[in-house]
């Protein structure tokens, strides 16, 4: 009855404000399983009790948090219990609490749970795994999702507290913790360091702290999950007065963002609500993250975590503006709100006049009278892309933001149309709007002396940059389908693309790209790049032709060729092998000779030294002039029509190489700009530079791909050999490691990566190969492996039928073609492991689903493995 009375009172209160609460239609399913192991303590509650909690308290909490007063859109989220397992999943050992083992446990248990529940598609389901006491310091754990996530996995450790479930569900939405900024000198705000610490979980104003509360989500977390539009958050640069709606309202301005130097503040208004411990007033959070050394946490993993990045974060840190105190989840209280506050720099002051429906907030900022830093121009030799930023980093204004640029062109000053920075991702110092910058394409075409200065939002102007002479070229390469054959080496032809040229800055890069985005050929020739084709085959690829300013064209290139070597002719006279200089099949005539070959259509007669006549029947088609230069040349180009006829080449003391025809098309031509290369900070380390020569690098892929180290990929923290969950003693012999991942938007691959490892010795590397082979053979026999949790992970191996030449020796490699798991969790794996000396390179190609790689796709990636083997050998490739 007490609960009903509270709900009725709440609804009555909303009605008096003229507001109507929205109720949820977004109902999400939570399945529940339990785990146990030998000697484990009993669970605090069984799955049926948790089922009741989900349907009642958990559901009510998230409905409340996502139901905003006055919302005309139904955006509330509710939860309902789905399927449960009556019997626990028995583990082979105690549940792991920390590190990769804990994350692996969550992943494997999810697969096993849904296998036992008989659910093949779990992509829109949540799972609770409840476990008995295992010695973990935490009560709940969940993998961090995103605001778009509609699934997730939670682990409850020795608890049946609905608050823990509600909190962990927040993580599956991509929410971090609501923490607390606590200064030992009693001040309300301060720079991160020894005095002001970041107390994990301590901002217990909402459920993402660690104290049970019915208080609404803070507006930062509401913004993160889409309950606030960008338009409902105001970024303030100068003194301003705004009307702020309460944090639990759907409409109006809901939050204020202020940057003060390197500190970033998020301000919201909390009104009087039943059951909360704070007074009505402003709540202020810091969203600039602390160094790890300033984090105070009961979780030891937090002390060894990576430093926060500049990206917009999932966590935030609440300021204590009143009498709030926090020691632990069991010792906290007081109010953290106030109607006035000042940032620790003293530059920004907040004052508010509050009512039940709004707060009038005045943000007073000290006037910005400092000009921005002097812009520094990028060296001209780096202006190789229309999309290159011509300014070096460091021109940003410390107090406000850059609003425009002025340029001086041969001494004439004008305002420059500028661009927002592309590929920008929000950061805690720029969460809403991409900063302005200047690209090479923003500059007018022509040759002139160029200087630039920045203007901030307060009107302060920087000093002029150093002037630079520039020549901006807007013209693109002119490309036709004209090719000439320039060399024959065995069955390989060298074709010069005479139809590719640029009259401005010249060509700088020509790429042939396959359907997967791999660059199969590349040239840096300034004109007429040379391509290689195999005799008698068709080359099809996407061609990209760029000039030295980055202007380019792209299209579909197709080249067919036929080669009839002189050695295939009928001959009279004295003939001998012409020698390696002319390629196989070339013949030398001594004295008077004739060679006859069948041909049709248009073709070229390739010759070396000497003179000759080309004829058919009694008709002379061409006369080849004499030459003493011992190199391949096109002696004549003729067209005899579509009917096949006998062509005779006659002369004295000459070299006949072949009759050839090359037919090329270049279609579906589009303009393309060369993109700046993605910066890889790891390449500032000389050891990583050395390792980067072996695996994937940016030049292996078309420019829409990025190739960067994985998280932890330059360390020895993660394992290298993890096939079939095997145990590899050789892991401890690793000395250096580099694992990169190739990604692009909408990639067909769920994982595309190479890994390079330097072992302590060649013997250690060979030991690793033998361990890997043994694990694979056992996995093939058992058709998978059994995890420590007792879950079975099935593998289905497929034989690789045909191997190209160029891989490392059979005794130094392990080649895998397999399907892992089944149904919606199935994925296809190609793993090509190669060892040479003390070095190892792995090529990993993974795709989701049950559709296997075709033999042709396997062949493509085996050829990439040949390239990796070439690099392992120390040759270029």
């Amino acid at each position: 009855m007490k609960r009903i009375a509270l709900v009725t009172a709440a609804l009555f209160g909303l009605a008096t404000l003229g507001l109507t609460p929205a109720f949820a239609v977004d109902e999400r399913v939570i399945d529940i399983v339990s785990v146990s192991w030998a000697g484990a303590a009993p669970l605090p509650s069984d799955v049926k009790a948790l089922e009741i909690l989900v349907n009642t308290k958990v559901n009510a909490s998230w409905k409340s948090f996502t139901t905003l007063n006055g919302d005309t859109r139904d955006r509330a989220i509710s939860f309902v219990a789905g399927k449960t397992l009556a019997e626990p999943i028995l583990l082979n050992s105690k549940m792991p609490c920390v590190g990769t083992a804990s994350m692996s446990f969550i992943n494997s248990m999810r697969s096993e749970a849904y296998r036992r529940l008989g659910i093949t598609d779990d992509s829109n389901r949540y799972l609770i795994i409840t476990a008995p006491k295992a010695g973990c310091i935490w009560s709940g754990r969940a993998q961090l999702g995103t605001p778009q996530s509609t699934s997730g996995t939670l682990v409850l450790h020795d608890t049946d507290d609905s608050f823990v479930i509600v909190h962990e569900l927040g993580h599956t939405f991509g929410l971090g913790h609501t923490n607390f900024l606590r200064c030992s000198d009693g001040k309300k705000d301060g720079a991160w360091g020894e005095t002001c610490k970041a107390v994990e979980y301590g901002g217990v104003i909402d459920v993402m702290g660690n104290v049970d509360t019915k208080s609404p989500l803070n507006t930062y977390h509401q913004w993160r999950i889409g309950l606030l539009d960008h338009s409902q958050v105001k970024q303030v640069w100068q003194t301003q007065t705004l009307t702020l709606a309460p944090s639990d309202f759907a409409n109006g301005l809901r939050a204020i963002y202020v940057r003060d130097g390197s500190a970033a503040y998020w301000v919201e208004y909390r009104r009087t609500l039943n059951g909360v411990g704070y007074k009505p007033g402003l709540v202020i959070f810091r969203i600039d993250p602390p160094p790890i050394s300033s984090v105070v946490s009961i979780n030891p993993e937090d002390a060894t975590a990576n430093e926060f990045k500049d990206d917009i974060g999932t966590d935030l840190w609440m300021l204590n503006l009143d009498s709030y105190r926090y020691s632990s989840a069991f010792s906290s209280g007081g109010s953290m709100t106030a109607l006035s506050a000042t940032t620790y720099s003293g530059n920004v002051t907040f004052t508010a006049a509050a009512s039940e429906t709004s707060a009038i907030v005045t943000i007073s900022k000290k006037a910005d009278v400092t000009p921005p830093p002097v812009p520094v121009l990028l060296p001209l030799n780096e202006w190789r892309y229309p999309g290159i930023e011509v300014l070096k980093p460091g021109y940003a204004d410390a107090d406000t933001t850059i609003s425009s640029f002025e340029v001086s062109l041969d001494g004439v000053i004008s305002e420059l149309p500028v661009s927002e920075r592309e590929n920008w991702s929000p950061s805690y110092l720029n969460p809403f709007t991409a900063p302005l910058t200047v690209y090479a394409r923003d500059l007018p075409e022509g040759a002139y002396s160029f200087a630039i200065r920045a203007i901030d939002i307060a009107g302060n102007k920087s000093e002029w940059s150093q002037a630079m002479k520039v020549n901006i070229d807007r013209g693109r390469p002119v490309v036709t389908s004209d090719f000439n054959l320039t060399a024959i080496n065995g069955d390989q032809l060298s074709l010069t693309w005479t139809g590719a040229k640029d009259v401005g800055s010249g060509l700088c890069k020509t790429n042939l790209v396959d359907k997967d985005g791999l660059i199969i050929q590349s040239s840096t020739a300034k004109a007429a790049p040379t391509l290689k084709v195999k005799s008698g085959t068709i080359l099809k690829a996407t061609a990209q032709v760029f000039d030295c300013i980055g202007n380019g064209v792209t299209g579909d290139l197709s080249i067919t060729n036929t080669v009839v070597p002189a050695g295939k002719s009928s001959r009279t006279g004295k003939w001998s092998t012409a020698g390696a200089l002319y390629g196989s099949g070339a013949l030398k005539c001594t004295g008077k000779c004739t060679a006859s070959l069948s041909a049709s259509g248009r073709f070229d007669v390739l010759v070396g030294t000497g003179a000759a006549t080309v004829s058919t029947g009694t008709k002379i088609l061409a006369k080849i002039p004499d030459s003493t230069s011992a190199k391949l040349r096109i002696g004549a180009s003729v067209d005899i029509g579509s009917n096949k006829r006998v062509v005779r080449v006659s002369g004295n003391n000459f070299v006949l190489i072949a009759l050839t025809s090359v037919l090329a098309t270049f279609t579906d031509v589009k303009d393309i700009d060369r993109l700046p290369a993605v910066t890889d900070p790891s390449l500032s380390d000389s050891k990583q530079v050395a390792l980067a020569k072996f695996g994937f690098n940016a030049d292996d892929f078309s420019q829409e791909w990025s190739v960067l180290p994985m998280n932890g990929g330059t360390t020895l923290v993660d394992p290298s050999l993890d096939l079939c969950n095997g145990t590899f003693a050789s892991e401890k012999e690793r000395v250096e490691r580099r694992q990169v991942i190739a990604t692009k938007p909408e990639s067909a691959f769920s994982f595309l990566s190479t890994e390079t490892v330097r072992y302590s010795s060649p013997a250690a590397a060979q030991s690793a190969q033998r361990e890997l082979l043994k694990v694979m053979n056992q996995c093939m026999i058992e058709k998978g492996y059994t995890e420590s949790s007792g879950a079975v992970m099935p593998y289905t191996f497929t034989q690789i039928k045909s191997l190209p030449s160029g891989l490392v020796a059979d005794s130094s490699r392990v080649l895998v073609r397999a399907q892992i798991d089944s149904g919606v969790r199935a994925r296809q794996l190609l793993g090509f492991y190669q060892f040479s000396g003390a070095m190892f390179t792995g090529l990993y190609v993974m795709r989701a689903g049950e559709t296997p790689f075709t033999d042709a796709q396997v062949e493509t990636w085996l050829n990439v493995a040949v390239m990796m083997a070439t690099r392992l050998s120390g040759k270029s490739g």
Side-chain angles (χ1 to χ4, degrees), residues 16 45 63 79 84 296 369 461 606 669 672 687 773 798 864:
T16 61
S45 293
K63 267 190 176 181
F79 288 96
T84 61
V296 177
V369 295
K461 296 183 177 182
L606 301 185
V669 181
I672 185 175
K687 292 180 179 178
L773 184 61
T798 301
V864 176

Side-chain angles (χ1 to χ4, degrees), residues 104-245:
S104 296
F105 166 80
I106 292 175
N107 292 331
S108 64
M109 277 298 97
R110 184 178 179 93
S111 296
E112 182 65 17
Y114 281 111
R115 187 174 289 111
R116 297 193 186 196
L117 288 168
I119 296 173
T120 56
D121 184 2
D122 61 332
S123 58
N124 290 299
R125 303 179 78 96
Y126 293 78
L127 178 69
I128 291 176
I129 303 168
T130 179
K133 190 173 183 64
C136 308
I137 196 156
W138 45 267
S139 298
R141 169 163 283 193
Q143 292 172 313
L144 191 66
T146 69
Q148 295 75 37
S149 298
T150 55
S151 66
T153 306
L154 297 67
V155 181
L156 302 182
H157 169 237
D158 193 33
T159 184
D160 58 0
D161 190 340
S162 63
F163 164 73
V164 175
I165 301 174
V166 172
H167 175 98
E168 298 304 327
L169 282 171
H171 290 319
T172 70
F173 298 155
L175 304 184
H177 288 145
T178 304
N179 305 304
F180 176 40
L181 186 152
R182 182 171 62 198
C183 298
S184 58
D185 59 3
K187 292 183 178 179
K188 295 175 172 57
D189 187 22
W192 298 118
E194 286 301 314
T195 302
C196 294
K197 298 288 188 179
V199 182
E200 197 75 5
Y201 303 104
V204 299
I205 196 166
D206 67 10
V207 73
M208 297 315 294
N210 66 351
V211 174
D212 193 359
T213 178
K214 300 298 183 279
S215 176
L217 288 176
N218 65 69
T219 54
Y220 182 78
H221 282 154
Q222 291 183 41
W223 174 65
R224 292 281 296 171
I225 63 175
L227 292 176
L228 257 73
D229 298 327
H230 284 340
S231 62
Q232 294 182 282
V233 185
K234 176 68 175 179
Q235 183 166 4
V236 174
W237 295 111
Q238 297 171 300
T239 295
Q240 193 169 1
T241 298
L242 300 166
T243 300
L244 198 56

